Amino acid sequence: MTPADETIRHDWTVDEIAALHDLPLLELIGRANAVHRTHHDANRVQRASLLSIKTGGCPENCAYCPQSAHHREVELTKDRLMDPTRVIALAATAKAAGAERFCMGAAWREVRDGAEFDAVVEMVEGVRALGMEACVTLGMLKPHQARRLAAAGLTAYNHNLDTSPEFYGRIVTTRTYRDRLDTLATVRAFGIDLCCGGIIGMGETVRDRASMLHVLAAMEPHPESVPINALVPVAGTPLAGRPPIDPLDLVRMVATARLVMPASTVRLSAGRSALNREAQILCLVAGANSLFYGDKLLTTPNADIGEDAALFAAIGDPGHACPLKESGALNKMAGSRAGADGCRCPH
C-alpha cells in the first residue's frame, strides 16, 4: 500500500482506511504526525468550550445519550432553553479562560421556528460579537433556518455521523443515516463549516470505524472539524455496561482521521477525561489539534480545567494562558507549587 501523503484525497476506500488504522502503532503515529506538520502548526492546539443550552427530553433514542427521553432510568434534570444573555455571559467567561470557540448544544430532534430558535440566533450573534467562533448542534434543520444561522455569523454546525452506516441501526432508530447526510448538505449549501465526527467504543468493529471515516473523507470538501469521541457510558442508557476503550484505540482513530483528512481540525472530544496526560499528548502528536475545555461536555464529565492548564503548560503550547489566574481561582491545583504570581500552573 502506498503511504498516505500530503495530497487531499476524496477517493479513500474502506479497505485502505482500515489498513492505515491497523499499521504498527509507531509507524501510524509517525505518518500521521508528518501529515499533521505539513498542514498545521504542530504547536497550536485550539481550545473550544461546549455548553448545553437546552438539556434533556430529546425524542431521539440514541443508545449512548443520557438526554434521550427514551432512557427513563437516567437521572438527569431537564432544563428549558437558557436565556441568551446568560449564554453570552458564559461565552465571555470561557473566552477569558482561553477558549477560542464556543459550542452550544440543544437536545432537539430538529429546529423549530419560533421564539426558541430566535433566541439561538441571538446567542450566535452574541458569541460572534465577542470575537469567538460559534458552533451549534440543534438536530435537523431546514434551508431557511440554515440561512438565518449563516446570516447571524455561525462558524460551524455540529451534526455527527456517530458511527458507520452499517452499525448505525444498532445505535439509533428514530433518525436515518440519510437524515444526517441531508442535514450536513443543507448546512454546507449555506457556507457554514461542518463539524462532523463520531464515537468509538459502542461495540463497533475496526471496519465500522474505517467506514465512518470513509463517509467523512468522501465529502468535498472534507468537514472542517472532525470530533473524535470515546463513549462515556452513562447509567440508565443501553450502552451503560460497555467497557472503557483502550486509550491507544483513541490514538489510532485520531491518527487515521488525520491521515485521510489532512487539513481538517481533529478534535479530541468526549472521553478525554478518562485519559492520563501522556495519552492525551500522544493524541496530539498523532494529529489532534483541538480539544474541549471545561469540566463538562453537555452532560458528561470532561477534564478538570486545572488539569488542562497543566497539560498545556507541559507541552509548552505558545497559546497557553492560565485560566486559573484569569478567573481568580488561584492556588487550587493540589500538588503543585505556586509561582511568584500566585498561579499554580507549572509555567
Side-chain angles (χ1 to χ4, degrees):
M1 183 183 66
T2 302
D5 60 24
E6 64 188 70
T7 303
I8 304 293
R9 290 179 51 185
H10 303 277
D11 62 348
W12 291 96
T13 67
V14 176
D15 286 341
E16 284 180 308
I17 296 172
L20 284 175
H21 180 281
D22 289 343
L23 283 170
L25 184 62
L26 298 184
E27 173 71 12
L28 173 62
I29 293 173
R31 291 192 192 184
N33 182 260
V35 169
H36 181 67
R37 297 175 75 88
T38 297
H39 291 269
H40 304 273
D41 178 350
N43 290 313
R44 171 167 163 72
V45 181
Q46 187 194 53
R47 300 147 179 83
S49 181
L50 177 59
L51 175 69
S52 178
I53 57 174
K54 186 272 178 184
T55 303
C58 180
E60 303 284 9
N61 67 350
C62 306
Y64 55 82
C65 186
Q67 301 205 60
S68 171
H70 295 258
H71 311 326
R72 301 185 185 280
E73 295 181 7
V74 174
E75 295 183 6
L76 180 70
T77 301
K78 298 178 183 178
D79 296 320
R80 298 175 64 86
L81 187 71
M82 294 177 66
D83 180 83
T85 302
R86 174 62 175 156
V87 171
I88 295 166
L90 289 171
T93 300
K95 181 180 180 180
E100 305 164 58
R101 184 181 182 103
F102 195 71
C103 306
M104 297 162 278
W108 293 339
R109 168 179 166 78
E110 58 191 345
V111 176
R112 298 183 185 277
D113 295 320
E116 288 193 331
F117 183 48
D118 294 343
V120 172
V121 172
E122 183 180 344
M123 294 173 196
V124 171
E125 292 172 338
V127 171
R128 294 295 284 146
L130 294 171
M132 302 180 77
E133 295 181 7
C135 179
V136 295
T137 179
L138 310 171
M140 297 180 286
L141 79 169
K142 299 179 176 65
H144 72 277
Q145 295 161 339
R147 183 183 294 110
R148 282 196 67 190
L149 290 169
L154 185 68
T155 308
Y157 196 89
N158 170 258
H159 200 64
N160 289 332
L161 295 178
D162 289 344
T163 188
S164 68
E166 298 81 9
F167 192 68
Y168 183 80
R170 294 180 58 182
I171 301 300
V172 187
T173 61
T174 52
R175 177 174 22 178
T176 68
Y177 215 76
R178 184 73 258 168
D179 288 334
R180 291 189 183 270
L181 295 174
D182 288 346
T183 295
L184 293 168
T186 297
V187 170
R188 180 66 86 192
F190 288 91
I192 301 170
D193 286 356
L194 297 186
C195 179
C196 186
I199 308 168
I200 66 171
M202 299 189 293
E204 77 287 343
T205 65
V206 167
R207 189 167 184 85
D208 285 316
R209 297 174 187 179
S211 178
M212 182 191 73
L213 292 177
H214 171 257
V215 175
L216 295 172
M219 296 178 182
E220 295 191 41
H222 293 154
E224 287 77 11
S225 171
V226 180
I228 302 298
N229 300 274
L231 176 69
V232 178
V234 177
T237 65
L239 297 181
R242 290 295 310 169
I245 67 160
D246 185 322
L248 295 182
D249 286 349
L250 196 60
V251 174
R252 284 188 175 277
M253 194 66 175
V254 165
T256 308
R258 171 55 65 222
L259 285 170
V260 300
M261 291 172 282
S264 299
T265 295
V266 176
R267 300 186 185 278
L268 188 56
S269 302
R272 186 168 69 88
S273 61
L275 304 181
N276 63 23
R277 182 182 66 171
E278 289 72 23
Q280 292 180 62
I281 290 174
L282 198 53
C283 285
L284 298 177
V285 172
N289 54 346
S290 177
L291 52 78
F292 283 100
Y293 212 51
D295 61 2
K296 184 178 288 188
L297 296 182
L298 297 181
T299 60
T300 56
N302 193 35
D304 176 82
I305 194 169
E307 293 173 355
D308 278 347
L311 171 66
F312 281 115
I315 64 176
D317 179 57
H320 169 69
C322 175
L324 301 178
K325 184 177 180 182
E326 293 291 339
S327 67
L330 300 177
N331 302 325
K332 291 185 178 180
M333 289 176 60
S336 60
R337 180 178 300 174
D341 58 2
C343 174
R344 289 182 179 268
C345 271
H347 302 294

